[in-house]
């Protein structure tokens, strides 16, 4: 393992403690993610529209990110990563103590999401900064795989606890456990040394013409992935009656698949190029969306449930292709600082559409049926690939600026 990491990451960096923070944070997230959908459905009594509304507020921090980073424009990627860890800890702690009302739970998730989104862009930025030359794709794949190990362990905790150890559903105690684990992750993050090189002349708001295609790709990708992120598990819970242990098992299988395939996808990005990867995942996506939305019309209920579970895992795997857009940014950027600013701006651009998908997705499901949501997701995926086909793969694309 040591030889593997040293072949990908620079030795004179804090990549080891950074990777440890990812692993531990992934464990806390796995516990949280394994129960949050069932907690909202069973305890908070959120229906499909209310779930979409809660997701709308959960995604607001992503849209806010560009303004947050504008305020904190003097902060390095390392400082922002640490700040995100602290805010995530606060949000998780709130979930473990607040009453199970829609307002308080949504507020807690909002706070946690704020920290998560601050860390999100910095996680990819630091990974690319610590990676050796021409190893960006593999570094992102390794980072993703390590995070999946942590989340897998978290899902395993929920599977065991909710299947065999408890007859009741102790959601809040497990939010508290997740908060304790997040505290450990925050401690690791504060051990990260060094500061990314800062551009003293950079503007508070970072938009550049040469990244316009990256921004547009983020809009398409964000819209299509939001359908699965928000409503994928909820379909299984409300339509098929999936329990927290079953949902966690599904997440665990997805994490295992991503763990093994993330490094492979990273290598494919480095060898074949990000453009090919961006385009080629669409065929699988269309198939996944079709069966997720229409399985209950084609198969008996039990078979349809299995088909949906398989397609959820497939969506998690093809979502790994999103790493390609980060490598694209690195390819046409002029500095690590520019990579950080661009990826963070991309997250906010991404959320311009995802918040509306979250808000109106539940309404579409409630009024028209779940089929329409996944048809929309498939169409957005096709748009994503069609637009990706227009990008340039050479650093000469910098001349567009």
């Amino acid at each position: 393992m040591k030889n593997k990491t040293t072949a990908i990451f620079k030795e004179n960096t804090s990549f080891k403690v950074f990777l440890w923070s990812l692993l531990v944070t992934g464990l806390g997230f796995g516990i949280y993610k394994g129960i949050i959908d069932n907690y909202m459905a069973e305890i908070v009594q959120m229906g499909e529209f209310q779930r979409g509304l809660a997701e709308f507020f959960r995604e607001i921090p992503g849209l806010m990110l560009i303004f947050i980073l504008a305020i904190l424009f003097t902060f390095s990627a390392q400082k922002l990563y640490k700040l995100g860890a602290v805010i995530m800890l606060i949000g998780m702690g709130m979930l473990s103590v607040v009453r199970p009302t829609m307002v308080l739970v949504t507020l807690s998730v909002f706070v946690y999401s704020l920290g998560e989104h601050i860390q999100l862009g910095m996680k990819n930025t630091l990974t690319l900064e610590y990676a050796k030359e021409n190893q960006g794709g593999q570094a992102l794949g390794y980072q993703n795989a390590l995070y999946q190990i942590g989340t897998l362990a978290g899902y395993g905790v929920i599977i065991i606890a909710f299947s065999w150890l408890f007859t009741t559903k102790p959601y809040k105690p497990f939010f508290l456990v997740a908060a304790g684990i997040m505290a450990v992750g925050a401690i690791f993050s504060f051990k990260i040394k060094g500061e990314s090189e800062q551009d003293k002349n950079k503007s508070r708001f970072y938009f550049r013409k040469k990244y316009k295609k990256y921004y547009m790709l983020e809009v398409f990708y964000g819209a299509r992935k939001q359908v699965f992120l928000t409503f994928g598990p909820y379909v299984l819970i409300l339509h098929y009656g999936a329990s927290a242990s079953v949902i966690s098992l599904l997440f665990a299988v997805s994490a295992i698949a991503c763990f093994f395939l993330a490094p492979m996808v990273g290598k494919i990005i480095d060898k074949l190029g990000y453009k090919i990867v961006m385009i080629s995942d669409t065929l699988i996506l269309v198939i996944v969306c079709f069966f997720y939305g229409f399985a209950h019309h084609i198969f008996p209920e039990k078979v349809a449930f299995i088909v949906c579970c398989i397609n959820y895992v497939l969506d998690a795997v093809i979502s790994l292709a999103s790493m390609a857009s980060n490598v694209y940014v690195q390819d046409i950027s002029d500095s690590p600082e520019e990579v950080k600013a661009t990826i963070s701006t991309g997250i906010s651009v991404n959320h311009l559409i995802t918040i509306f998908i979250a808000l109106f997705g539940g309404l579409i499901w409630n009024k028209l049926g779940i089929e329409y949501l996944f048809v929309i997701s498939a169409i957005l995926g096709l748009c994503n690939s069609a637009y990706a086909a227009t990008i340039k793969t050479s650093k000469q694309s910098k001349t567009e600026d």
Side-chain angles (χ1 to χ4, degrees):
M1 184 67 73
K2 181 179 179 181
N3 292 336
K4 179 68 173 178
T5 56
T6 54
I8 299 174
F9 297 97
K10 301 171 186 174
E11 284 282 6
N12 59 338
T13 64
S14 296
F15 80 88
K16 292 181 180 178
V17 70
F18 167 64
L19 293 177
W20 271 109
S21 73
L22 289 175
L23 181 66
V24 175
T25 301
L27 174 60
F29 175 77
I31 293 174
Y32 158 80
K33 181 62 176 175
I35 59 177
I36 187 63
D37 287 300
N38 287 83
Y39 179 66
M40 288 180 168
E42 298 170 10
I43 306 300
V44 190
Q45 297 291 306
M46 291 186 187
E48 50 277 298
F49 175 71
Q50 289 78 16
R51 179 66 181 90
L53 188 61
E55 188 66 15
F56 170 80
F57 287 104
R58 192 194 74 83
E59 292 288 13
I60 286 292
L63 183 61
M64 293 168 51
L65 188 60
I66 188 173
F67 302 103
I68 295 170
L69 295 183
I71 295 171
L72 304 176
F73 76 109
T74 60
F75 279 39
S76 66
Q78 288 85 350
K79 286 183 178 179
L80 288 167
Y81 184 81
K82 296 169 187 177
L83 176 63
V86 173
I87 297 175
M88 287 166 67
L89 172 59
I90 294 172
M92 194 67 72
M94 289 173 62
L95 265 177
S96 67
V97 297
V98 300
R99 291 185 293 109
T101 65
M102 181 174 174
V103 172
L104 293 178
V105 170
T106 300
L107 176 62
S108 302
V109 171
F110 171 86
V111 174
Y112 174 81
S113 178
L114 177 61
E116 183 182 29
H117 280 90
I118 290 174
Q119 270 206 346
L120 183 60
M122 301 309 105
K123 180 170 65 173
N124 292 333
T125 298
L126 290 175
T127 299
L128 291 170
E129 181 179 328
Y130 294 155
K132 291 182 176 180
E133 188 175 358
N134 298 321
Q135 297 295 312
Q138 290 194 61
L140 288 169
Y142 190 89
Q143 171 235 94
N144 193 294
L146 194 65
Y147 190 79
Q148 294 297 338
I149 293 176
T151 57
L152 175 61
Y155 298 147
V157 169
I158 299 302
I159 293 168
I160 294 172
F162 281 69
S163 296
W164 296 303
L165 298 183
F166 299 100
T167 55
T168 58
K169 299 173 180 178
Y171 290 111
K172 280 198 172 184
F174 279 93
F175 286 133
L176 183 60
V177 170
I181 295 170
M182 288 292 179
V184 177
I187 291 172
F188 274 114
S189 73
F190 274 86
K191 292 182 179 293
I192 296 174
K193 305 298 182 182
E195 298 286 336
S196 301
E197 182 181 348
Q198 298 290 297
D199 182 356
K200 303 302 182 183
N201 298 315
K202 67 181 179 177
S203 62
R204 289 175 178 262
F205 295 95
Y206 196 88
F207 288 96
R208 295 186 68 178
K209 183 180 177 181
K210 71 178 179 181
Y211 294 115
K212 62 184 179 181
K213 291 186 177 180
Y214 166 69
Y215 300 144
M216 199 64 197
L217 287 169
E218 282 298 295
V219 169
F220 286 130
Y221 173 73
R224 86 103 186 136
K225 63 94 177 174
Q226 189 64 39
V227 173
F228 270 92
L229 182 65
T230 305
F231 301 104
Y234 236 54
V235 170
L236 301 177
I237 294 168
L238 294 187
H239 191 82
Y240 296 99
S243 65
S245 59
V246 170
I247 292 296
S248 294
L249 178 60
L250 177 62
F251 290 161
V253 173
S254 299
I256 292 172
C258 290
F259 167 72
F260 285 108
L261 294 176
M264 185 184 304
V265 173
K267 289 182 180 179
I268 292 172
I269 293 170
D270 288 335
K271 290 183 179 180
L272 299 183
Y274 45 79
K275 182 175 180 178
I276 292 176
V277 174
M278 288 176 183
I279 297 170
S280 60
D281 67 334
T282 299
L283 180 60
I284 301 175
L285 173 65
V286 171
I287 296 172
V288 165
C289 290
F290 173 78
F291 281 108
Y292 213 92
F294 293 89
H296 59 287
H297 292 300
I298 303 171
F299 307 105
E301 183 173 334
K302 290 183 179 179
V303 176
F305 174 68
I306 294 172
V307 169
C308 286
C309 288
I310 293 172
N311 279 276
Y312 186 88
V313 175
L314 285 174
D315 179 74
V317 171
I318 61 177
S319 290
L320 293 172
S322 65
M323 294 186 294
S325 62
N326 292 322
V327 179
Y328 169 50
V329 169
Q330 186 186 42
D331 184 42
I332 65 175
S333 68
D334 296 316
S335 68
E337 174 62 27
E338 191 171 295
V339 173
K340 181 193 86 170
T342 302
I343 291 176
S344 297
T345 301
I347 292 172
S348 286
V349 171
N350 175 307
H351 285 73
L352 282 172
I353 186 67
T354 59
I355 61 171
F356 293 106
I357 295 292
L359 181 62
F360 294 109
L363 187 62
I364 292 171
W365 178 2
N366 184 265
K367 300 297 183 181
L368 302 177
I370 196 64
E371 301 86 354
Y372 284 84
L373 270 181
F374 291 97
V375 168
I376 292 171
S377 183
I379 292 172
L380 290 168
L382 289 170
C383 292
N384 182 84
S385 289
Y387 199 78
T390 69
I391 68 172
K392 296 180 180 180
T393 58
S394 168
K395 288 182 181 290
Q396 292 176 349
S397 58
K398 291 179 182 180
T399 59
E400 294 180 3
D401 191 16

